[in-house]
Amino acid sequence: MHLLMILTAVTIACCLRYFANIPQGNWHLRWQKTLFLFLFPPLLIFMTATSVVCMGKQGTMGGMYTGSFSYLLALIFIGFFNILGLKLAFQGWKSVKSARECPQINLAGKQVRLLETGALFAGQMGFWQPELVVSQGLLETLSPVHLESVLAHEQGHYQYRDTFWFFWLGWVRSCTAWLPNTEALWQELLMLRELRADSYAASQVDPLVLAESLLLVVTNNPVGEEICCAALGAGDRLEQRIEALLTPPEPTSEAQLQSWHIFLFAFLPLLTVIFHT
């Protein structure tokens, strides 16, 4: 019976992902729909595995005997999930430690870390209370007004606690990379994260200035250097971000936004514990 539960959860998760389409519309709607498609299937599998482990390898459920194979399978999955989480946490800790070795400077009245490199970089480093890290190349390339737009964008990442939430989303991505469309949905979430921070920055500074900053990074970044500035970005995402900045945002009513209550369905497997004897 437990094995049937696991197979059912995996089948539902794969079907949801396989038939998933990248949503269209403004970033508010795209964010809600993409987050559901990305997070709900892994959450359903994880909750099913958790319920199987809680029920144990002995007893009956619905008149059917349970075996040790499904229990062991669920235990391996949860153990793998936790090991990957510890690995990502260790990598994040090393990144934060490396960032804290950079000297602190005062920039626009804020304490930031200075990365001594010619590449253009700006990003939040940390977990719940991240620190802003900017590169020497960025300070030398951008004018004060363009630099202000970059700082406003990074404040948007701080406001939405992107470093915290995307650590957990990255954990889910690593554990369920085998599910269909994981990478496509992950890239969409990364794009929407930047659009959300752009939208926040556009409420603080001139959107046109931020759009100009995007182009300045692309044209002034040293040849051969990866454009790793979290605030600016480049490549095939550049056009989409500039277009969003120059286009007036569409009003989105609360009724259009997806309710978080739908995620409660992923916890339904936990109810099966009461039927285990």
Side-chain angles (χ1 to χ4, degrees):
M1 188 63 180
H2 289 174
L3 185 59
L4 181 61
M5 287 176 55
I6 295 174
L7 291 176
T8 301
V10 171
T11 300
I12 294 174
C14 288
C15 288
L16 280 173
R17 281 290 192 82
Y18 183 78
F19 295 106
N21 293 317
I22 301 298
Q24 301 299 318
N26 61 40
W27 72 261
H28 295 274
L29 296 176
R30 287 167 61 189
W31 174 265
Q32 295 288 337
K33 294 177 181 178
T34 303
L35 188 62
F36 170 77
L37 292 172
F38 180 83
L39 189 57
F40 184 87
L43 191 59
L44 178 64
I45 295 174
F46 181 74
M47 288 298 106
T48 302
T50 301
S51 65
V52 170
V53 171
C54 290
M55 287 185 283
K57 56 185 177 180
Q58 296 179 343
T60 61
M61 180 179 175
M64 300 177 64
Y65 284 98
T66 59
S68 58
F69 176 74
S70 55
Y71 174 81
L72 183 61
L73 190 64
L75 202 60
I76 290 174
F77 175 79
I78 293 177
F80 175 72
F81 206 85
N82 290 330
I83 289 172
L84 277 181
L86 291 174
K87 178 183 176 183
L88 290 176
F90 179 69
Q91 291 174 347
W93 173 78
K94 288 202 304 182
S95 298
V96 172
K97 182 181 178 183
S98 176
R100 288 178 177 172
E101 292 175 354
C102 297
Q104 275 191 326
I105 62 171
N106 186 286
L107 185 63
K110 297 181 180 180
Q111 293 296 314
V112 303
R113 299 284 180 177
L114 179 63
L115 187 63
E116 296 180 357
T117 176
L120 277 64
F121 177 88
Q124 300 284 348
M125 301 289 289
F127 201 55
W128 185 255
Q129 294 286 348
E131 290 186 280
L132 178 59
V133 179
V134 299
S135 68
Q136 186 68 41
L138 189 74
L139 298 181
E140 294 174 351
T141 301
L142 300 186
S143 66
V145 65
H146 290 109
L147 190 59
E148 181 186 5
S149 70
V150 174
L151 297 180
H153 175 98
E154 290 303 326
Q155 183 60 33
H157 284 304
Y158 183 89
Q159 183 75 16
Y160 290 111
R161 306 291 181 183
D162 283 337
T163 54
F164 176 80
W165 294 115
F166 271 80
F167 169 80
W168 299 110
L169 292 175
W171 184 14
V172 172
R173 174 207 179 198
S174 298
C175 295
T176 56
W178 50 273
L179 282 175
N181 288 317
T182 294
E183 191 58 29
L185 291 170
W186 172 252
Q187 293 301 324
E188 178 70 2
L189 283 176
L190 293 179
M191 180 72 250
L192 293 171
R193 178 185 67 179
E194 298 307 317
L195 288 175
R196 185 171 66 175
D198 284 344
S199 178
Y200 177 89
S203 67
Q204 309 293 320
V205 299
D206 187 346
L208 181 60
V209 174
L210 182 57
E212 290 174 350
S213 299
L214 296 175
L215 294 174
L216 284 172
V217 168
V218 174
T219 56
N220 290 280
N221 206 61
V223 177
E225 293 282 359
E226 178 186 1
I227 299 177
C228 50
C229 179
L232 302 179
D236 56 358
R237 301 177 180 179
L238 177 63
E239 183 178 350
Q240 187 178 166
R241 291 183 62 187
I242 291 179
E243 183 179 353
L245 283 169
L246 301 182
T247 303
E250 300 176 8
T252 304
S253 66
E254 289 296 326
Q256 288 180 289
L257 296 179
Q258 181 175 309
S259 172
W260 284 94
H261 295 162
I262 196 169
F263 283 97
L264 294 177
F265 286 103
F267 292 85
L268 285 179
L270 294 177
L271 296 179
T272 60
V273 176
I274 63 178
F275 299 105
H276 184 268
T277 57

